[in-house]
Amino acid sequence: MICSDHPYGRYLLEVRRPQQYTGGEWNLDVVDRGKPRITLVYPDIYELGMSNFGLDIVRYILLSSHQFDVRRAFCPAPDMDDIINRESLDWVDLEGWDPVRSSSVVGFSIPSEALYTNVLHLITRMGLPLRSKNRDDDSPIFLLGGGGLANPLPLAPFTDIFFLGEIEERAVELFSILSSSDSRMERLERACEIPGVYVPELGKKAVEIQRISDLRTEYAPVRQLVPNSKVSQDRGVVEIARGCTRGCRFCQASQIYRPVRERPPEEIVDLMDRVLVSTGWEKSGLLTLSLSDYSRLPELIKGLDMLADRHHVSIGRPSMRPDTISRLEEGYRITGRITIAPEAGTESLRAKINKPISDELILEAADAVFRMGAKGIKLYFMLGLPEETDEDVRGIAELALNIAAIARRHHCNPKKSVTVALSPFVPKAQTPLQWSAQMTENELMRRIRIVRKICGRKVSLSWNSPMVAVVEVLQSHLVVLYLTVYQDTPQY
């Protein structure tokens, strides 16, 4: 619905998907203008931001406290961003259509280093100075958190406060302090005493990344928002486990989200039931790094299958590890597609990145999931890993073709049922490979062409942009430049 009093009302028919700027989604809470205004921002477009479960968790916790007027805001798409710039319009939130800059606190959720520059862009969209030291007391406090802040220093000159780690247990306390009536510096000084908080303006400080002890039910969003416009993950979500014991050398999540914490199967089924009832979604998904590593998987699958039959819905399965898929075969049925992430094309390279899975085991897993009724398999590989050779690259294509042959034996069309997704390696902070060199954009494209030539049209092939990967690693390592140019830049 296009409203005449919306700040962008006269321009909404000029842009694609105008619904992403209007708000009013199903399950949206009524704005309480009498309380401190908090705006939670995902620094990318609505389609991606509405699929970010971390932002949903923080919003749910703050709303459940009944202490805040909680809003959302996303990065305008390029067509609307051009109009905002051309017409000197305010960047507004979705709940009350108020300028984001008039909030007490603006909390940015940063899942990836690739979004660092988007944060800076949105600060300029608020009409505020980029550097925090140049903002006055009337400016909102900018709080940044999320898994993309394993190295927060590149954003330190522009940020008032960071929270490092899992914020659930500290969210209400932290936002209460930051939205109080105290002076800006008093609020920052009080907040700095909270574990996990780093305030660049207050100097160097040792900060321990925070982790919650367990996945408590009161932190799980149930009345989830149903988007007005297309989003990348248009379904209900329940987080079943957090953390990983595997320790792949390239994986940031396995380093910063330890230890593993699981929800009981009965709690997962109950949460999923409540999500489906409150939203009306016909699709739902489970959030975890690896479904097949869940310790009580048969019990969970049995409960979810009964729930899916009762609600006549589809419950998607997250990525599975080939070495644990054999646990599923007894009585397990698959109605959709399965994701498997070998990551590297040869056994030798997989061993080097601490993912020692044999080709034979991967092929056995592929055969097993097709026998269980899977309509297809999506394979994730990384390109440009340290010590990767052309032989390793060719191994990606050869492994994919062998799985395509298995698909044909099960009477599946390999072009439709086998998908290969290539992602350029990005060295991540806090991982054993954080100081490894990244290949150039041209070299990454050469390796993509090798895979494409061997695969031909026998499987479906896609890849993430090498240019974006290069930009991502540049942003995550700009700390070297900041420490060189700005000698007083604090460290944590």
Side-chain angles (χ1 to χ4, degrees):
M1 178 179 178
I2 296 179
C3 304
S4 58
D5 56 344
H6 192 287
Y8 307 155
R10 60 179 294 192
Y11 308 104
L12 289 178
L13 293 179
E14 301 178 22
V15 299
R16 298 179 66 237
R17 298 178 189 159
Q19 305 97 316
Q20 63 185 307
Y21 306 107
T22 59
E25 296 94 340
W26 180 259
N27 283 335
L28 188 68
D29 294 82
V30 177
V31 170
D32 190 342
R33 296 183 181 273
K35 296 174 181 176
R37 187 190 308 168
I38 307 295
T39 300
L40 302 178
V41 177
Y42 185 87
D44 211 324
I45 59 174
Y46 182 92
E47 180 176 351
L48 299 176
M50 284 293 289
S51 302
N52 182 262
F53 196 62
L55 191 73
D56 205 16
I57 291 175
V58 178
R59 176 180 176 274
Y60 178 79
I61 291 172
L62 295 181
L63 284 172
S64 298
S65 74
H66 305 290
Q67 298 181 30
F68 310 100
D69 175 4
V70 185
R71 314 287 184 90
R72 294 164 298 137
F74 303 104
C75 193
D79 52 4
M80 178 58 80
D81 192 68
D82 288 342
I83 293 174
I84 292 173
N85 183 56
R86 185 186 72 222
E87 302 295 333
S88 299
L89 302 175
D90 287 319
W91 174 45
V92 300
D93 62 62
L94 292 186
E95 275 73 11
W97 306 338
D98 294 308
V100 176
R101 68 167 183 269
S102 61
S103 303
S104 298
V105 184
V106 178
F108 288 88
S109 177
I110 315 292
S112 167
E113 295 87 350
L115 299 181
Y116 283 10
T117 51
N118 284 18
V119 174
L120 305 187
H121 175 70
L122 291 174
I123 293 174
T124 63
R125 276 286 160 265
M126 286 184 263
L128 299 172
L130 271 177
R131 297 187 178 275
S132 58
K133 66 181 181 181
N134 296 329
R135 300 183 202 123
D136 57 30
D137 285 349
D138 293 330
S139 301
I141 287 181
F142 293 150
L143 167 65
L144 272 65
L149 294 176
N151 172 21
L153 289 178
L155 286 171
F158 317 105
T159 305
D160 298 311
I161 182 171
F162 292 98
F163 187 90
L164 305 179
E166 300 168 354
I167 198 173
E168 285 98 323
E169 294 177 346
R170 302 289 182 178
V172 174
E173 178 188 9
L174 179 57
F175 279 94
S176 295
I177 291 173
L178 296 180
S179 61
S180 70
S181 58
D182 294 339
S183 70
R184 184 185 191 86
M185 184 52 63
E186 287 174 335
R187 286 180 281 166
L188 293 177
E189 289 175 346
R190 288 174 57 199
C192 195
E193 298 175 1
I194 296 176
V197 167
Y198 165 49
V199 180
E201 191 173 353
L202 298 181
K204 298 179 181 179
K205 174 190 175 184
V207 178
E208 182 179 356
I209 294 178
Q210 299 297 293
R211 296 175 177 87
I212 59 175
S213 57
D214 54 18
L215 300 179
R216 291 159 56 180
T217 305
E218 58 264 37
Y219 297 153
V222 175
R223 290 183 65 255
Q224 298 174 12
L225 295 178
V226 181
N228 287 336
S229 181
K230 177 185 176 183
V231 297
S232 59
Q233 301 293 331
D234 195 1
R235 59 187 180 183
V237 177
V238 172
E239 184 179 21
I240 70 171
R242 190 181 299 180
C244 177
T245 61
R246 301 290 180 136
C248 296
R249 294 174 61 81
F250 59 86
C251 182
Q252 196 176 67
S254 67
Q255 304 296 326
I256 65 177
Y257 290 121
R258 293 180 178 180
V260 174
R261 290 140 293 173
E262 296 183 344
R263 279 199 168 93
E266 59 275 10
E267 181 179 313
I268 295 170
V269 173
D270 177 64
L271 287 172
M272 183 66 75
D273 184 37
R274 292 160 60 191
V275 169
L276 292 170
V277 169
S278 65
T279 61
W281 258 309
E282 296 179 353
K283 293 182 179 180
S284 60
L286 309 173
L287 187 61
T288 180
L289 290 175
S290 173
L291 174 63
S292 50
D293 278 346
Y294 183 76
S295 62
R296 299 169 65 183
L297 187 60
E299 187 179 347
L300 173 63
I301 294 302
K302 181 179 179 181
L304 291 176
D305 284 345
M306 293 175 62
L307 184 66
D309 290 340
R310 185 164 79 247
H311 287 292
H312 304 287
V313 299
S314 171
I315 300 178
R317 317 295 198 210
S319 175
M320 294 186 177
R321 299 187 188 276
D323 53 343
T324 53
I325 282 178
S326 58
R327 297 174 56 205
L328 309 178
E329 205 164 350
E330 184 65 34
Y332 188 82
R333 60 186 175 91
I334 299 174
T335 57
R337 300 173 66 87
I338 289 294
T339 299
I340 298 177
E343 303 296 1
T346 62
E347 295 179 15
S348 60
L349 186 55
R350 286 195 286 272
K352 290 176 182 177
I353 62 175
N354 199 31
K355 196 159 189 177
I357 304 173
S358 68
D359 290 348
E360 181 182 4
L361 188 58
I362 294 171
L363 296 176
E364 288 176 355
D367 187 59
V369 298
F370 277 118
R371 284 201 306 271
M372 287 184 270
K375 292 189 172 101
I377 295 177
K378 186 169 187 177
L379 301 165
Y380 279 106
F381 293 94
M382 300 186 77
L383 276 178
L385 285 161
E387 301 186 37
E388 182 185 74
T389 65
D390 282 6
E391 180 183 354
D392 298 314
V393 176
R394 288 191 290 271
I396 294 174
E398 291 164 3
L399 185 57
L401 292 179
N402 287 333
I403 292 176
I406 292 173
R408 280 193 294 272
R409 290 204 300 270
H410 289 276
H411 308 291
C412 296
N413 181 342
K415 178 68 176 175
K416 294 181 180 180
S417 61
V418 180
T419 301
V420 177
L422 306 176
S423 297
F425 165 69
V426 175
K428 294 286 189 176
Q430 311 291 344
T431 69
L433 299 181
Q434 65 179 342
W435 300 118
S436 299
Q438 185 186 42
M439 293 181 182
T440 65
E441 181 183 350
N442 289 338
E443 178 59 24
L444 289 168
M445 281 305 306
R446 185 187 74 83
R447 295 178 184 229
I448 289 172
R449 286 193 290 270
I450 291 175
V451 179
R452 184 172 61 179
K453 182 177 180 180
I454 297 174
C455 287
R457 297 186 178 183
K458 297 177 182 177
V459 299
S460 177
L461 181 66
S462 64
W463 57 87
N464 292 339
S465 167
M467 181 179 67
V468 172
V470 171
V471 171
E472 184 175 345
V473 77
L474 282 174
Q475 293 179 162
S476 65
H477 285 68
L478 278 176
V479 62
V480 177
L481 174 61
Y482 286 130
L483 290 178
T484 302
V485 178
Y486 305 101
Q487 297 297 325
D488 61 341
T489 300
Q491 303 177 39
Y492 77 98

